[in-house]
Amino acid sequence: MKKIFFFAGLITVTVITVFNSCSKKIEEANLAYPMINPTRTDANAGTWKPILLTTASEFACPAPIATTSPDYILQLNEIKSFQNKISDEDNELVKYWGAGAVLRWNEIMRELVAKHNVPPYQNPDGTYPAPNANNPLAYPLFPFANPPYAARAYAYLSAAQYDACIAGYYYKTLYNRAAPFTVDATIQTLLPKSTLPSYPSEDAVVMGASVELLKLLFPGDQDFIDQKAEEHKRARLIAGANVRSDLDAGEALGKLVASKFIARARGDRAGTAGGSLVIQGQMEADCAARGEIPWISQETPKRPGMLMLYGKVKTWLFDSLTMVTSIRPGPPPSTGSAQFKTETAEIYQIQKDLTRDQRAIATFWSDGVGTYTPPGHWNYIASNEFAQLNFSEARWARNMALLNMSIMDAGVVCWDTKYTYFNPRPMQMDTRIKTDIGLPNFPSYISGHSTFSGAASTVLGYIIPGKAQQFIDMAREASISRMYGAIHFRSDCEVGITTGNKVGGYAVARGHTDGAE
């Protein structure tokens, strides 16, 4: 295989032969996840800086009952009743959830994104139906989990999990209730023993927050989500990790934390991001008035551009003024310029001479229909990396929050840029150019894959500095894959990576001040 390095400013693609491509390394990283057994417990996580909570104690968590009380003894006996008849299925359940709450609920989110990542088919009259959150089971199912929607979903889930952990760890320290296997030595421990207090359960605060956010984002899948929550709680009881009141208190606290994120989601302007044909027509006219060739949908019948107002969605790491004045890139090469003609010719030549390895890279990073999208691909990469590093639940949550807030914000900046400049794609400019990976129905400049990847690689390089170059290489390969797929110009990709790096830098700056270092 060949590894592709994409260097800004070069017109020629530089190919260096090495043992494996980045994509191959990702495949090899998909190992069986070990049970969570943190090297560092992060017992002080209740003092870390939250995202939406005003303080770690903003929502009350009642004091636990004494471990000598009759009710607590009954709860210990519940664990024993489970452990007296452990089946192979029970052991698998414990092993599955023992890999970590943040990890598994992120996986569940990715599964739901992939399920819903199917664009609606047009009506007989050529119009297009839109998913309706108020009627999620009618066709087309709500949501259509396109890349910006998915990026937002991952961000809300991860940010809520993080704040829930901060609250949960604060009350752990405050109440300091011992774990059931410490109180009663006859309780088996099917997971690595945690030295943290068990009330409220860190798994349960993550689960409580996750359930509420997933039901908001995927309202047609509530039975599936509830089923996973019951499995999670059952696994903790079977494992002897928590008594019932640890779980109940954690779940209730997680749901209270989630309420703040749900309120934010309802007012972040994502619900009005779709735009209209009238708005699209005005964008096209504005582009033409600047003397440029506007983007035109290549679908038949022409489909309205995807989420043309997504650039107005509320970001996490900076405000809209900062986005416009400091992060939004300048315009692409003019459609009448020599550079634009050169970049168009380059895509035609790449496609004409496409190698097997380049085609494989284009396919690997395409992340199209039925996948968990480019943001989910980076969540998958992060999960494989973090699982080998023995992070605590709190640190898992913090790291995923930094990653996904940056990815969502990168998407907002990218879509703002796309519909500001309304630039055409290579296929529109040269009808000889074709693609095998699907043509996205929105303007070309800047590349979404590149922007998502630039942000993700920056944050992951901060979290795991020893692998920073590897993440940079992955981002470059993801970026250039869009040129191999014949759907982006070089400037789309180069500027996308740079813009994503800038967004990721805001997440890194937050990480330096959140107390977790």
Side-chain angles (χ1 to χ4, degrees):
M1 294 290 288
K2 293 179 180 178
K3 185 175 184 178
I4 307 300
F5 292 93
F6 184 27
F7 297 105
L10 295 183
I11 292 299
T12 303
V13 176
T14 302
V15 182
I16 301 176
T17 303
V18 294
F19 181 71
N20 278 322
S21 70
C22 297
S23 54
K24 182 65 174 175
K25 288 180 180 178
I26 295 169
E27 291 170 356
E28 291 172 348
N30 186 23
L31 307 173
Y33 295 125
M35 290 188 179
I36 195 167
N37 188 20
T39 304
R40 182 168 58 181
T41 62
D42 291 316
N44 71 330
T47 67
W48 293 355
K49 178 183 176 182
I51 296 168
L52 293 187
L53 292 182
T54 54
T55 65
S57 59
E58 178 177 349
F59 294 108
C61 177
I65 58 174
T67 57
T68 56
S69 68
D71 190 10
Y72 189 86
I73 302 302
L74 286 174
Q75 292 178 43
L76 290 176
N77 289 335
E78 180 185 22
I79 293 176
K80 293 175 184 178
S81 70
F82 279 117
Q83 294 190 339
N84 284 337
K85 48 182 179 180
I86 296 176
S87 65
D88 290 342
E89 182 180 351
D90 290 336
N91 279 320
E92 288 300 312
L93 201 64
V94 170
K95 183 179 178 182
Y96 172 82
W97 286 104
V102 173
L103 167 64
R104 292 307 185 192
W105 283 103
N106 182 274
E107 280 187 331
I108 291 165
M109 170 70 86
R110 281 185 268 142
E111 183 178 341
L112 290 172
V113 165
K115 172 186 174 182
H116 289 276
N117 184 15
V118 182
Y121 192 72
Q122 67 263 26
N123 295 319
D125 63 0
T127 61
Y128 289 90
N132 183 353
N134 295 319
N135 192 11
L137 298 181
Y139 185 82
L141 295 178
F142 180 89
F144 166 31
N146 50 48
Y149 185 94
R152 174 175 174 267
Y154 295 125
Y156 272 98
L157 178 75
S158 297
Q161 289 174 339
Y162 170 67
D163 272 16
C165 277
I166 288 177
Y169 277 60
Y170 170 83
Y171 286 111
K172 280 179 177 294
T173 301
L174 179 66
Y175 295 128
N176 197 31
R177 184 161 87 174
F181 54 80
T182 303
V183 176
D184 186 337
T186 67
I187 298 287
Q188 299 179 58
T189 53
L190 305 184
L191 296 171
K193 289 185 178 180
S194 173
T195 59
L196 289 172
S198 68
Y199 180 95
S201 162
E202 62 268 36
D203 273 60
V205 295
V206 170
M207 180 266 293
S210 300
V211 164
E212 296 305 293
L213 266 299
L214 284 168
K215 286 182 176 180
L216 172 74
L217 295 160
F218 300 94
D221 295 275
Q222 297 196 33
D223 289 345
F224 170 75
I225 296 164
D226 283 336
Q227 175 193 340
K228 291 298 182 183
E230 289 303 313
E231 287 179 3
H232 193 173
K233 288 184 282 188
R234 179 181 171 85
R236 297 296 290 179
L237 292 168
I238 294 170
N242 294 112
V243 293
R244 180 72 65 175
S245 56
D246 296 336
L247 299 172
D248 289 345
E251 181 178 11
L253 182 59
K255 288 185 176 184
L256 288 171
V257 172
S259 68
K260 293 205 73 167
F261 289 84
I262 291 171
R264 184 190 192 278
R266 294 192 189 282
D268 71 357
R269 299 185 287 275
T272 56
S276 67
L277 288 174
V278 173
I279 295 172
Q280 182 166 316
Q282 185 61 54
M283 290 177 174
E284 184 176 335
D286 290 345
C287 181
R290 296 193 299 269
E292 302 294 342
I293 299 173
W295 169 78
I296 296 174
S297 172
Q298 300 299 294
E299 297 194 18
T300 304
K302 285 182 171 48
R303 188 188 296 265
M306 179 194 293
L307 295 178
M308 59 190 71
L309 298 180
Y310 190 79
K312 298 186 181 300
V313 171
K314 186 177 181 181
T315 48
W316 297 94
L317 300 168
F318 41 78
D319 58 27
S320 57
L321 179 62
T322 300
M323 180 179 75
V324 172
T325 60
S326 302
I327 306 174
R328 179 201 286 170
S334 171
T335 52
S337 68
Q339 182 180 347
F340 188 77
K341 292 177 182 177
T342 297
E343 291 195 17
T344 303
E346 179 186 23
I347 298 305
Y348 173 71
Q349 197 62 42
I350 287 175
Q351 185 196 45
K352 183 179 177 183
D353 300 331
L354 198 67
T355 68
R356 183 179 65 179
D357 289 343
Q358 291 170 341
R359 188 181 301 277
I361 289 170
T363 301
F364 178 82
W365 288 103
S366 61
D367 296 323
V369 171
T371 71
Y372 32 73
T373 74
H377 199 151
W378 281 102
N379 274 252
Y380 170 78
I381 292 167
S383 293
N384 281 331
E385 295 290 344
F386 295 168
Q388 312 307 316
L389 296 176
N390 297 324
F391 290 143
S392 68
E393 286 290 356
R395 193 161 294 274
W396 259 96
R398 177 257 192 180
N399 291 345
M400 295 301 281
L402 291 176
L403 174 70
N404 283 311
M405 288 191 297
S406 75
I407 290 176
M408 175 181 163
D409 284 5
V412 174
V413 173
C414 180
W415 257 250
D416 166 75
T417 304
K418 284 180 180 293
Y419 286 100
T420 294
Y421 299 116
F422 219 69
N423 220 43
R425 289 190 180 263
M427 187 181 296
Q428 182 181 335
M429 302 311 299
D430 185 341
T431 56
R432 297 175 300 171
I433 296 174
K434 308 295 180 185
T435 180
D436 294 331
I437 62 172
L439 182 66
N441 194 54
F442 39 83
S444 188
Y445 179 86
I446 49 180
S447 158
H449 273 57
S450 303
T451 314
F452 290 134
S453 298
S457 62
T458 299
V459 175
L460 290 177
Y462 156 69
I463 295 169
I464 314 175
K467 291 191 173 183
Q469 188 59 52
Q470 178 180 323
F471 297 130
I472 290 170
D473 294 343
M474 288 179 180
R476 288 171 172 170
E477 187 176 275
S479 178
I480 203 169
S481 75
R482 309 310 272 172
M483 294 173 66
Y484 295 158
I487 62 174
H488 274 295
F489 301 104
R490 180 172 291 277
S491 56
D492 301 342
C493 299
E494 290 184 346
V495 179
I497 284 281
T498 301
T499 303
N501 293 155
K502 287 183 181 179
V503 174
Y506 283 86
V508 172
R510 189 188 198 284
H512 285 314
T513 61
D514 65 8
E517 292 184 346

